[in-house]
Amino acid sequence: MFEAIGYVGAVGSASMWAPQAVRVVRLRRDVDALAAISASAYAIAIVFNALLVVYGHSAHAVPVVAAGVLNLVCATLIFGLLQRARRRTA
């Protein structure tokens, strides 16, 4: 039962990143539209979600690993696209 709650939490956690990831992918060529998105916040998210994955793996907590991986993928995608868009205008 608790593991099911963990998986629901993992999906919920990833779902909060998904709309922002979709928006950044859709607007990846519009630097003005992306200007208000903080690359620093996503860099921090990458670090802490990587730590979450390591912790979940060492604790054998599959839902924690799942949440960390999903969040890490979204945060990395957003950060990478922001950096690419900002380099194009520099």
Side-chain angles (χ1 to χ4, degrees):
M1 179 63 174
F2 286 113
E3 193 162 325
I5 292 170
Y7 283 110
V8 170
V11 170
S13 176
S15 69
M16 73 178 184
W17 297 87
Q20 190 71 36
V22 169
R23 183 170 196 266
V24 169
V25 168
R26 194 169 22 98
L27 300 173
R28 67 185 173 272
R29 291 184 179 84
D30 186 350
V31 178
D32 293 331
L34 299 176
I37 299 172
S38 172
S40 299
Y42 286 97
I44 292 167
I46 289 168
V47 170
F48 285 108
N49 280 294
L51 292 172
L52 188 65
V53 170
V54 171
Y55 167 76
H57 185 269
S58 66
H60 304 287
V62 177
V64 173
V65 173
V69 168
L70 292 171
N71 293 341
L72 186 59
V73 167
C74 286
T76 302
L77 173 71
I78 293 166
F79 181 79
L81 289 175
L82 287 174
Q83 294 303 102
R84 178 190 287 173
R86 291 172 182 168
R87 270 197 308 266
R88 263 188 267 155
T89 62

